[in-house]
Amino acid sequence: MRKIKYRKGRKVQPNGLEYTGIHKNKESEMQLFVYDVVDFSEHVDFEFKDLNTLIDSTKNNWLNVHGLNNLELIKAIGSHFSIDNYVLSDVLNTSRRTKLEETHDCLFFNIKSILPTEHSDNISVEQISFLLKDGILISFQEKRSDFFTHIRERIRQNSVILRTKKADYLLYTLLDAVMENFYITIENEEDRLEEIMNLSKTSSDPVILQRIEKHRDNFNFLKRAIIPLRDSLYDIKSIKDDNTFNVMQPDSFVFFARLYQKTLELLEQIDSDMSLLESASNFFFTTQSHKMNEIMKTLTIVSAIFIPLTFIVGIYGMNFDNMPELRFQNGYFYILLLMLVIGIAMIVYFKKRRWF
């Protein structure tokens, strides 16, 4: 889980540009889709200087940027589309929480994309940022991934709804695709949770408790990613009658309301799963306490059986000359027999009382 850390000696100004993510070896690439209901074109591996000739202001334009290491490219994009420098700094600063902001005629939205790590209890995080402005949607990804592959295919195959809607509907579909990763991550966590629940009932290995705490951290991290997303989507849903988001079409607000409902479902599911984790933790400690009680009960019974035997041995272990029965010919065997009878009698008595 990635945490926000203060970097001592960081010399970047508040609005300065510096990529703070972990994918520092990923080269920056651009991909451009230009489409409307009757026409479509896709451009890859082009130079930034050709961008102005490729964009068609009469159609929808989707510029997708993979890799955030090329600061000159990010600055050029910001300059070309008149994007404020502090907005670009939020694109590059991956430690920021989910944020929704409208500046002038530009809508900025960033979101955390979360997926489970294969063969591990960890989760991987990638920040994805969106800029919606003047019929163009710009998306920034830290690395190349397949989050939006199905959306690209829908554009190529002339999906009626997607090709007829404006760029704000494209933003909705991209956000919806990212939110699907939350469902995938929670489903994976629930599979691990079921495994932990079964182990907590059959094993006393302390590693189980470590796994419980690890998944509790994962769920808390998911909540910290979803709650600001919920708040941002609520802002869109609740002010659809105002003129706050000028770049969005009035009929598009209903789609963002659906995303808001999804965040509520996700948070409810996480709360339910965290309750199960708490139950697993309590069951583990209860099982441990029960086993400890069983051990202490067994030791107590053994000690209780040997107390009278130890008393007899202690008496006959005293070194007095005039003690009775010291010179009795078969006294040794009689005492052993007496000790055996006392031990068996106590075991039978404890058994009848169901003490073990």
Side-chain angles (χ1 to χ4, degrees):
M1 182 170 56
R2 294 158 63 183
K3 298 181 179 179
I4 300 175
K5 295 183 179 180
Y6 170 70
R7 296 178 57 187
K8 186 175 182 181
R10 188 170 181 260
K11 299 180 180 180
V12 179
Q13 297 299 320
N15 290 339
L17 300 182
E18 178 186 0
Y19 173 56
T20 62
I22 61 175
H23 304 286
K24 297 185 180 296
N25 59 343
K26 305 295 183 182
E27 295 184 0
S28 298
E29 303 174 353
M30 291 188 296
Q31 182 183 37
L32 177 65
F33 286 84
V34 181
Y35 65 91
D36 59 13
V37 67
V38 296
D39 194 17
F40 155 74
S41 60
E42 179 180 355
H43 309 278
V44 294
D45 299 329
F46 58 90
E47 298 292 334
F48 179 79
K49 59 183 176 60
D50 300 325
L51 181 63
N52 200 37
T53 60
L54 297 176
I55 291 179
D56 188 344
S57 59
T58 63
K59 300 178 182 178
N60 291 322
N61 301 269
W62 175 24
L63 176 62
N64 191 24
V65 180
H66 300 101
L68 304 179
N69 291 316
N70 191 340
L71 298 183
E72 295 302 320
L73 175 62
I74 303 299
K75 290 178 181 178
I77 293 174
S79 176
H80 185 273
F81 294 103
S82 301
I83 301 171
D84 291 332
N85 213 39
Y86 73 88
V87 175
L88 294 178
S89 68
D90 286 340
V91 171
L92 297 172
N93 190 348
T94 59
S95 63
R96 297 286 176 85
R97 73 198 300 264
T98 295
K99 179 180 180 181
L100 171 68
E101 185 177 6
E102 186 179 40
T103 58
H104 310 304
D105 57 347
C106 175
L107 179 68
F108 172 69
F109 203 124
N110 72 348
I111 185 175
K112 305 295 183 185
S113 177
I114 298 177
L115 279 173
T117 303
E118 223 177 312
H119 308 300
S120 173
D121 287 338
N122 297 323
I123 54 178
S124 60
V125 186
E126 178 187 351
Q127 177 170 287
I128 303 177
S129 301
F130 302 98
L131 286 164
L132 180 62
K133 179 176 182 178
D134 297 332
I136 182 169
L137 177 65
I138 309 173
S139 57
F140 296 91
Q141 297 180 246
E142 294 187 68
K143 59 183 179 66
R144 181 177 290 276
S145 58
D146 58 354
F147 300 156
F148 308 138
T149 301
H150 64 290
I151 298 176
R152 296 187 183 97
E153 287 301 318
R154 288 171 61 187
I155 295 176
R156 294 182 184 120
Q157 296 175 9
N158 196 8
S159 172
V160 176
I161 297 179
L162 189 56
R163 292 277 289 269
T164 56
K165 295 287 187 180
K166 299 296 183 181
D168 53 354
Y169 182 81
L170 175 62
L171 173 61
Y172 155 73
T173 58
L174 297 179
L175 290 174
D176 186 57
V178 175
M179 289 182 64
E180 286 299 315
N181 295 337
F182 286 101
Y183 285 98
I184 295 172
T185 304
I186 291 177
E187 183 179 356
N188 180 78
E189 289 292 316
E190 288 175 344
D191 291 340
R192 303 293 176 87
L193 176 57
E194 184 178 355
E195 178 185 349
I196 291 173
M197 290 289 291
N198 293 332
L199 288 175
S200 66
K201 298 175 182 178
T202 58
S203 175
S204 59
D205 192 342
V207 175
I208 296 175
L209 192 60
Q210 296 177 9
R211 292 190 63 187
I212 289 175
E213 293 303 316
K214 175 62 178 177
H215 288 285
R216 182 179 285 114
D217 289 342
N218 287 349
F219 280 122
N220 282 324
F221 184 76
L222 283 166
K223 288 188 70 173
R224 291 200 302 271
I226 296 173
I227 288 176
L229 174 61
R230 177 202 62 186
D231 296 340
S232 298
L233 292 171
Y234 179 79
D235 289 341
I236 296 178
K237 183 184 79 73
S238 61
I239 56 178
K240 60 182 179 180
D241 296 327
D242 299 335
N243 294 322
T244 305
F245 299 110
N246 298 318
V247 296
M248 294 182 59
Q249 302 296 314
D251 59 347
S252 296
F253 287 98
V254 64
F255 300 112
F256 291 91
R258 294 177 183 176
L259 295 182
Y260 173 74
Q261 291 298 322
K262 283 190 174 183
T263 60
L264 298 182
E265 293 174 4
L266 289 168
L267 289 173
E268 288 176 358
Q269 189 61 42
I270 289 175
D271 288 337
S272 175
D273 292 335
M274 291 190 71
S275 297
L276 290 177
L277 268 181
E278 189 67 27
S279 298
S281 179
N282 293 336
F283 194 92
F284 178 81
F285 284 116
T286 300
T287 303
Q288 293 288 83
S289 299
H290 178 70
K291 289 183 177 180
M292 181 61 69
N293 291 337
E294 289 294 317
I295 293 173
M296 294 303 298
K297 182 175 71 174
T298 302
L299 294 177
T300 301
I301 290 174
V302 171
S303 300
I305 292 173
F306 276 90
I307 285 175
L309 307 184
T310 305
F311 174 75
I312 295 173
V313 172
I315 290 177
Y316 284 91
M318 293 187 291
N319 298 319
F320 291 107
D321 291 334
N322 297 321
M323 286 184 63
E325 294 94 20
L326 283 178
R327 293 177 176 81
F328 192 72
Q329 184 176 3
N330 296 316
Y332 172 75
F333 300 103
Y334 289 151
I335 290 298
L336 288 180
L337 179 61
L338 175 64
M339 295 170 67
L340 178 62
V341 170
I342 292 174
I344 293 175
M346 295 186 69
I347 291 174
V348 171
Y349 176 76
F350 293 155
K351 192 71 174 177
K352 287 185 177 181
R353 296 298 300 268
R354 296 182 179 180
W355 289 356
F356 69 92

